[in-house]
Amino acid sequence: MTVATDDTVLPIIDLSGYINPKSPEDKERVIAEVRDACARYGFFQVKGHGVSLSSQEGLIQGLSTFFSQPREEKMKLSFLKNPCRRGYEASGDSLREGDAHPDSKEAFYIGREDPVVEPPGFYGPNQWPPNLPKEAFHGPVWSYYQDTTALGRTIWEILLLGLGHPASVLDVFAKRPIVQMKMIRYPPASATKPGQFGVGAHTDFGGVTVLLQQAGKKGLEVWSEAKGEWLPVPSIEDVLVINCGDMIQKWSGGRYRSAKHRVINKADEERLSCATFWHGDSGATNPLDKEDESKDTVGQLLFKRIFTHYSKMPARQHPVSSPHDKFHASPYSIDIKLDFEIFLDGRQQTPTSSQLEEIKALFPTCTELTYSSPFLIATCETLPPKPWPVTAAGLPLFFTPDPESEAPLNLGRVGYGPGDRIDEAIRPWQTPSMKVFKKLFALLRTYSSTIDRVRWLGWGIIAVGDSYPPRSTWQSFIPRTINGLPIRYVFSPRRARPEGSPTETPADTNPSKWDMTAYGDPLRPGMMICSPSMRKPGTNMFATTGVCVHRDYDHEPPEKRLKYITLLPRTFGSDILHGSIHQPYQGGRPGREIAGPYRIFNDVALGDLLGVKYTRETISSVPGDEVKPFGRLLDTREVTIGEPVSMDTPVNGRLSGILISREVRRITDAPDGEGGTMVDFTTGDWVYFGNGAEVLGEGSTGGVVWNEKWDVLGHLGWRGTWSGVGSCYYCPAFDVLVNLGYELTDAP
């Protein structure tokens, strides 16, 4: 080991004594040297690490190839559009508290290659530049990732042994470890502003970091608490830098340090580097201290820092001026981000009393904050100023001045009979397949033939029927659980089922004030449309356009396929069969006709586009917001309870909400819904858009609802009207179109 005598150079440790020991003493020496370096600095350098020089050089060449591309090419892979934060981070996208300027660096992120995204995004697929040959980027990057993944595990072994724990502890918390890699380009010093850092001062927030610096191009500095100054770290060929993150400092009880560091590229040429972060399983807790009362998982520790303290996130998480710095907002919603998450890793937790108190303290007039899954109900003497937050710590917030007020989702009544089962697995927070729903219906209808709707809540099930079972003692025999999951029951007359209808725009909203140039070519989703029966004296009744789709049923090229527009059939009444649907009235006359004739698929209809140009880009009602093209129609199974969703209309602007349940309904082949044969299932979502919007849902019926990846879930349908529903909206899903082979398209 090379040891500095003046504390200005970090030690260099030869790991070959541990990886390929010639004697037991070799291993013990390396373990002791690493332990001392982590206790003293939290950083050290390594040689003999097993990562070949050719692997390092291949990575650097790959980074040079990628970062030399035009910005617009790199932005196609923006990590802000990716649910796993994989992809490209532009210069200026990362700002740390206290820094005068955003980081000058640009970066590219990859992680584990998992086939399916698992919220909040630690597991999932990578995105790779499609325009670069595999051997130019993907190949060398992935090879280096695998090399440093193996090295990271070795470093963890050494750290554990240095603390007196067996290396087998890794098998407890690292069966499926989160390993993330960040490739970085720092611009020349002449391209940065005075006082701007390549990366501002910070500590790493997870486990082990393995850092490659481009040889001969220094810039990394580590803060020395003992000397009260920044120590420069040289960049030496075939020498890697290792450091401990906050999680290691916490788990080791402070025996290993997590040191503050920063990067300043002082040379007038670019500098490349790459950091591999090796953490552990998302759901693992501290394996070194079973008495750790926090019980924080690896995923929770990372989520608190990655998603709330560092790089900029999509607009819904940008900070807004507020009495509380915990409030985050986009131009259309406010969410409260705290040091804890109640909805984490795609699962909803039960909030603790201390967590409820912390949220309650944010609202001075709040007298009580209670939890009624999935809602936090804030009872206030005086309601807070609008707009109100939609979520707090990941859960939807409902404000009310009434102490007796119920949650805006009717959870129904419980059964007291023994639990029952179906022969399919039902896993909490994983959307069931249609096969599971069909078997649920078959089972539930043996208890009550009126049950024709099933709502999936993530943690349990609600069965809905049009009338109570004939026996007055029905609760005594109807099951309290199915496959171990709780089930509730809601029975209400058919007439109480919510019905769709056109919505009237607010009294002070005059269509003549809208930007009518937006109604030219091409038409877009989210624009106002109407039909003859909607035009009533003294009213402005409108619905909203959907998306354009086509189907490859005739194997014609895309440009020759028939184009259709999606509509909400209940909104237009008989006009969906007999009348025209056109753009808004202007000067007392209807705008141009846009669609007809129509095909009805339960709660979704298709109309032939009548020579209208149509684009899949939303209207972008948020000032300064980027116009986004929708990606695709989502299948039900891809949607997770708790997902944030959005919609856009000229009347309301953009609304942001949270998906709170998924509904499947049995339908018959009889038009009136009576008799006939059960032939199909239709699905939709219940979305909570918050109860503090000045105009909630008005002028929005039929609007397109999408997720954070800009994939389309369905239409905004209607507000629930049965007891206890309030501010929740039913959104018919596009599953039927997906199953029939329809795809999103444009009509040029």
Side-chain angles (χ1 to χ4, degrees), residues 106-155:
E106 55 181 324
F108 192 86
Y109 298 86
I110 67 167
R112 296 173 52 97
E113 277 287 10
D114 294 294
V116 179
V117 175
E118 299 178 29
F122 296 124
Y123 301 106
N126 291 307
Q127 56 174 342
W128 300 96
N131 61 313
L132 296 179
K134 186 172 182 179
E135 63 273 15
F137 185 75
H138 186 166
V141 166
W142 188 246
S143 176
Y144 179 83
Y145 174 87
Q146 292 176 307
D147 290 343
T148 49
T149 295
L151 175 59
R153 188 178 183 91
T154 299
I155 299 296

Side-chain angles (χ1 to χ4, degrees), residues 388-468:
W388 299 337
V390 175
T391 66
L395 293 187
L397 265 173
F398 181 74
F399 291 89
T400 177
D402 181 5
E404 304 300 320
S405 180
E406 298 179 352
L409 179 68
N410 186 1
L411 294 179
R413 300 166 70 176
V414 298
Y416 300 115
D420 210 334
R421 301 190 65 81
I422 62 172
D423 60 352
E424 294 285 343
I426 310 177
R427 296 182 175 86
W429 303 107
Q430 294 185 20
T431 303
S433 67
M434 192 57 68
K435 182 179 180 181
V436 170
F437 278 114
K438 289 182 178 182
K439 292 193 174 185
L440 283 173
F441 274 115
L443 174 63
L444 289 168
R445 288 174 69 85
T446 64
Y447 292 96
S448 173
S449 61
T450 71
I451 291 175
D452 66 350
R453 282 163 283 167
V454 170
R455 293 187 193 136
W456 171 247
L457 303 174
W459 53 268
I461 302 162
I462 296 179
V464 183
D466 291 323
S467 61
Y468 286 100

Side-chain angles (χ1 to χ4, degrees), residues 304-369:
K304 291 175 184 178
R305 293 287 299 274
I306 295 177
F307 290 88
T308 60
H309 289 80
Y310 276 79
S311 299
K312 291 179 183 176
M313 293 297 293
R316 48 180 286 108
Q317 295 181 359
H318 288 175
V320 66
S321 298
S322 164
H324 305 286
D325 59 7
K326 302 181 189 308
F327 283 55
H328 293 250
S330 73
Y332 51 95
S333 75
I334 298 176
D335 302 288
I336 300 175
K337 304 295 181 184
L338 300 166
D339 291 334
F340 57 86
E341 283 288 320
I342 306 173
F343 199 101
L344 185 66
D345 290 339
R347 293 175 176 265
Q348 180 182 306
Q349 316 294 324
T350 299
T352 64
S353 56
S354 61
Q355 289 171 340
L356 290 174
E357 284 299 317
E358 184 171 344
I359 297 171
K360 177 176 176 287
L362 298 174
F363 305 100
T365 65
C366 182
T367 57
E368 184 180 25
L369 185 74

